[in-house]
Amino acid sequence: MINTKNISKRIAKFINKQIAEKVFPGAVIAILEKDKVLYHAAFGQRIITPKQAPMLNDTLFDLASLTKPIVIGTLTVQLVESDMITLGAAVQEYLPEFNQPDITCIDLLRHTSGLPAWKPLYIETESPENIVEHLGNMPLESVPGEKVTYSCLGYILMGKILTAITEKPLDTLAYENIFKPLGMNRTYYNPPAQLRDNCAATEDSNSFERRMINTSQHGKYYKGHTWRDGVIIGEVHDENANYLGGISGNAGLFSNARDLITFCQMILNYGSLLLSAESIDELSIPQTSNDATEQRSIGWHILSDGAMYHTGFTGTSIRIDLEMGIAAILLTNRVHPDAQSTSIIACRNQFHRIIFG
C-alpha cells in the first residue's frame, strides 16, 4: 500500500520541476490499483507553439511505441487463446512474401528477430504494399533468436501478420477486440478531426527523423521525401506509421489517461473481460534467455523487479506491478516542439522511484 497523500505532493513538485527545466511542456499522471484510481492530474501545456493550450486530464496523446504492448501484445495472446496463431511458427507461414524462413512470430514479439532496430521504410520502399517483401529481403544484423535488439520493424510485421490471419484491418481489430469491450471510448488510430484540438502536440515538422536521415546512409535519398510542415497535432509522429496511413503495429495509437487506466486495471485484474489469467502470465513472464541484455515478453519489457513496462518515443510510459497491484501512467509531450533532449530517461526513472521505491 502506498501513501497517496505523500506521493501526490511529491509527484506534483517533481513534475512541475521537470516542466520548469523544459524536460517537457506538460504531463498527465495516473496511479491506480485494481479497482481504484489513486491519483490523476494534469500539468503544464499540451501545446506551446504555434499557440498555447493547457494540458487537461482527458488530453489525447500519441502513444508511439506503447502501441506495441497495448495493441499487438494483447491481440496476439487473444489469437493464441483462439488457436489462430502459433507463436513458434515462421513468419513466412502467415506472410509468404517474407523471405526469412528462420524468423518466428515469437522472435518478432520479443525483439530477437535479428532485424535492424529501424529503417526509413517511407524512403526505401516504392509503396506501403511493398513493405513485407522489403523487410523479408533485408540483411539481418544477428541470427534469429540469439540477441535482443529492440526493433520497430518487427512490430510492423507483427501487425501485418494479425491482419493476414483475421482478414481485418489492424484498427478495426483493435477496436472490436480491445477498445470496445473495455469501454476505451477515446482510444484510436487516427483520432477524429473534431478531437485533434484536444491532442498533445508533438514535433515541428518531424525534425528528429529529418536529422536522422540527413546524417545516415540515406542522406542522398531524403530530399525526395515530402516531409510534413508545421507542428504535428493529432497525427501520428512516427514517419513509418504515417507512411502506413497512421495504422501500424509499431506506433499510431492515441489515447488518454482515463482509457489507459481502464486498460491497466484489466491487466491488474488478470484479464477480466478480455484475457485469461494464462494470457496475463504470457504477457508478464520473460520470453528471452536469462543472459539477455533486456528481458522481453509478448509486447512488454520485463524489469528486474518483475514489473511490466514500456515507453513511447513521444514521452509516454506505463509500468504495471502485478505483485504490488499498482500501475503508473506517465504521459508527456516531451518531443514538442523538438525531440533532441533525452532528459525524459532520467525523469522516468525518478518518477517511478517516487511511486515504486
Side-chain angles (χ1 to χ4, degrees), residues 117-137:
W118 174 85
K119 291 287 185 180
L121 302 179
Y122 49 91
I123 288 174
E124 293 186 347
T125 62
E126 294 180 0
S127 75
E129 288 70 34
N130 301 128
I131 280 181
V132 173
E133 183 179 0
H134 179 74
L135 292 173
N137 291 311

Side-chain angles (χ1 to χ4, degrees), residues 76 80 85-90 94 104-107 109 158 282 298:
T76 296
V80 170
I85 189 172
T86 301
L87 298 185
Y94 303 108
T104 64
C105 296
I106 192 63
D107 285 326
L109 292 162
M158 203 61 220
E282 287 293 307
I298 296 172

Side-chain angles (χ1 to χ4, degrees), residues 251-265:
L253 197 64
F254 284 73
S255 190
N256 63 16
R258 179 64 260 175
D259 275 12
L260 295 178
I261 287 167
T262 299
F263 181 83
C264 290
Q265 286 179 325

